[in-house]
């Protein structure tokens, strides 16, 4: 596959390359990353031809946006496609700022946050991101983490959707109409949310994380067919299931941010064995698999080292025989209805 072949994002005029750069690791998701390593990684990506970059205020509590912006603002703005997210507002800690706990992040900046999907919240998040990025516009803007995992309960999810319905989505539509963004998306981490968004809002695309990978394809049942029917684009995040399908079932490998169960490890082991029989690295199959679905526009693997960028691009360019996909289906390791060559 050509990593830089362009595909149209849903009904929009945005043409995304098949491979972009996911910048969550630059917010020190699992590993501390120096400013020098972040800069070198971004430069390696740019020099290799990567032109699509996805970040968010939540990634390292502002750190990823600062790092991405510090590098990209020096590049030709007309060449790049920049994506960030709304839904969280960063603010200084109210108590004991010198003892701040970064929590989920290995490092990052010492900012607290709160969720806000209202009109004012969306506009403030957008303007705050412009400042951190050093940019005066963003190409694609994503509603972030409006789900049960991050909000904690159905009433909190309902409250977020109510904020969007009562003004938050109007803010996004106004930004798009004014040419300040080019596409409106929503980040999806859980089943059941794509139909809910499509019922309420005129979505351009979804950033689907962890839910259409070699490890799981349940979104083939309802979510992805709906997107095909309505010509709504899909960008794939978490293509390696947060590690297991990059490294294989080795000690310490994570699956969707948690320790994998024995059943999940066994499935990954069997998939890796099929790949080995066809002389294909497991992460090559993981990167290319989602791109065969007609709704999928792009895949955005993360990186925090230069060699990760170049390796990902090499893996996308690798030829994978159709027999590999056929064997995975025959063994029941991927769904029979998953689009493959």
């Amino acid at each position: 596959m050509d990593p830089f072949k362009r595909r149209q994002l849903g009904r929009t005029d945005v043409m995304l390359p098949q491979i972009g750069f996911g910048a969550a690791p630059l917010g020190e998701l699992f590993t501390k990353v120096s400013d020098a390593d972040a800069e070198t990684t971004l430069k390696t990506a740019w020099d290799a031809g990567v032109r699509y970059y996805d970040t968010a205020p939540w990634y390292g509590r502002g750190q990823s946006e600062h790092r991405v912006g510090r590098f990209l603002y020096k590049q030709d703005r007309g060449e790049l496609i920049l994506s960030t997210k709304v839904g969280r507002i960063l603010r200084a800690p109210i108590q004991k700022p010198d003892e701040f706990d970064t929590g989920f992040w290995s490092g990052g900046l010492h900012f607290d946050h709160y969720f806000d999907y209202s009109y004012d919240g969306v506009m403030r998040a957008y303007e705050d991101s412009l400042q951190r990025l050093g940019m005066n516009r963003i190409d694609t803007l994503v509603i972030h983490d409006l789900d049960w995992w991050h909000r904690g309960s159905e009433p909190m999810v309902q409250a977020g959707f109510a904020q969007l319905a009562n003004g938050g989505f109007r803010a996004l539509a106004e930004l798009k109409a004014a040419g300040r963004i080019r596409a409106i998306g929503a980040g999806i981490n859980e089943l059941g949310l794509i139909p809910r968004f499509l019922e309420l809002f005129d979505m351009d695309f979804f950033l689907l994380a962890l839910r259409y990978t070699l490890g799981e394809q349940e979104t083939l049942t309802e979510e992805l067919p709906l997107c095909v029917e309505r010509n709504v684009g899909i960008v794939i995040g978490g293509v390696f299931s947060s590690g297991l399908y990059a490294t294989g079932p080795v000690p310490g490998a994570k699956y969707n941010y948690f320790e994998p169960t024995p059943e999940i490890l066994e499935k990954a082991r069997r998939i890796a064995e099929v790949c080995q029989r066809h002389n294909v690295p497991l992460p090559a199959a993981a990167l290319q698999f989602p791109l065969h679905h007609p709704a999928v526009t792009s895949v955005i693997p993360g990186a925090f080292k230069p060699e990760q960028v170049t390796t990902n691009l090499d893996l996308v360019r690798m030829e994978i025989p159709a027999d590999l996909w056929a064997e995975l289906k025959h063994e029941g390791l991927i769904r029979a209805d998953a689009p493959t060559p």
Side-chain angles (χ1 to χ4, degrees):
M1 285 184 159
D2 177 359
F4 306 132
K5 179 182 177 182
R6 300 275 176 145
R7 298 183 179 188
Q8 185 177 2
L9 182 62
R11 305 178 306 276
T12 74
D13 65 355
V14 179
M15 299 295 293
L16 293 181
Q18 294 187 124
I19 296 296
F21 184 101
L26 300 187
E28 300 181 317
L29 178 58
F30 298 124
T31 306
K32 291 273 193 177
V33 182
S34 70
D35 284 341
D37 284 347
E39 177 89 3
T40 303
T41 302
L42 288 162
K43 185 177 188 305
T44 299
W46 185 269
D47 290 347
V50 177
R51 293 296 182 267
Y52 171 34
Y53 296 82
D54 175 79
T55 183
W58 179 232
Y59 298 163
R61 301 173 185 267
Q63 181 167 265
S64 176
E65 284 190 324
H66 277 292
R67 287 174 162 177
V68 168
R70 194 179 306 138
F71 177 79
L72 288 181
Y73 91 93
K74 297 174 287 188
Q75 313 308 322
D76 183 346
R77 184 64 182 87
E79 284 192 41
L80 69 95
I81 298 165
L82 181 60
S83 175
T84 193
K85 304 178 180 72
V86 296
R88 285 183 176 89
I89 305 295
L90 301 184
R91 65 181 177 189
I94 296 173
Q95 296 180 342
K96 299 182 179 180
D98 294 334
E99 301 175 18
F100 187 79
D101 181 0
T102 57
F104 182 80
W105 302 93
S106 297
L109 304 182
H110 291 188
F111 284 95
D112 206 345
H113 78 280
Y114 62 93
F115 289 93
D116 191 342
Y117 299 96
S118 69
Y119 181 95
D120 290 342
V122 168
M123 288 300 194
R124 176 175 173 182
Y126 175 81
E127 295 291 344
D128 286 354
S129 287
L130 294 182
Q131 294 289 331
R132 285 188 291 267
L133 289 162
M135 301 284 183
N136 60 15
R137 63 180 172 85
I138 289 161
D139 295 291
T140 68
L141 198 56
V142 178
I143 301 160
H144 203 195
D145 289 343
L146 182 48
D147 56 40
W148 303 282
W149 184 11
H150 292 92
R151 300 302 288 120
S153 67
E154 174 60 20
M156 295 303 293
V157 171
Q158 288 180 359
F161 273 100
Q163 284 188 314
L164 282 175
N166 292 324
F169 197 83
R170 177 165 56 87
L172 292 165
E174 288 178 5
L175 289 170
K176 185 180 176 184
R180 301 182 70 193
I181 63 173
R182 298 167 61 196
I184 300 168
I188 300 295
N189 302 293
E190 298 183 78
L191 295 173
L193 288 168
I194 285 179
R196 196 162 175 176
F197 270 103
L198 290 176
E199 182 180 348
L200 294 170
F201 307 115
D202 185 17
M203 304 300 302
D204 293 318
F205 74 102
F206 293 104
L207 202 173
L208 182 60
L210 310 172
R211 301 302 170 207
Y212 190 63
T213 65
L214 275 184
E216 65 172 89
Q217 300 100 46
E218 284 84 351
T219 47
L220 282 171
T221 301
E222 182 179 13
E223 279 87 348
L224 291 176
L226 266 178
C227 291
V228 170
E229 178 186 326
R230 302 193 186 192
N231 198 11
V232 172
I234 295 287
V235 173
I236 297 291
V239 70
F240 298 126
S241 302
S242 76
L244 181 60
Y245 283 91
T247 64
V250 299
K254 295 285 193 296
Y255 181 79
N256 294 358
Y257 302 116
F258 297 102
E259 295 296 325
T261 65
E263 293 78 13
I264 287 172
L265 283 172
E266 175 62 13
K267 180 178 179 180
R269 184 192 64 78
R270 292 179 62 200
I271 291 175
E273 286 183 349
V274 172
C275 290
Q276 189 174 24
R277 282 198 288 274
H278 292 273
N279 297 312
V280 172
L282 175 64
L287 274 170
Q288 293 189 34
F289 169 71
L291 287 166
H292 294 298
H293 195 284
V296 173
T297 306
S298 184
V299 172
I300 49 171
F304 61 89
K305 295 179 180 179
E307 56 268 30
Q308 293 171 336
V309 173
T310 54
T311 296
N312 286 339
L313 294 175
D314 289 343
L315 292 171
V316 172
R317 292 185 174 107
M318 186 170 292
E319 186 170 346
I320 296 180
D323 287 350
L324 180 146
W325 307 117
E327 184 173 347
L328 289 175
K329 289 181 178 181
H330 181 264
E331 296 296 323
L333 295 169
I334 62 173
R335 281 181 45 158
D337 57 345
T340 56

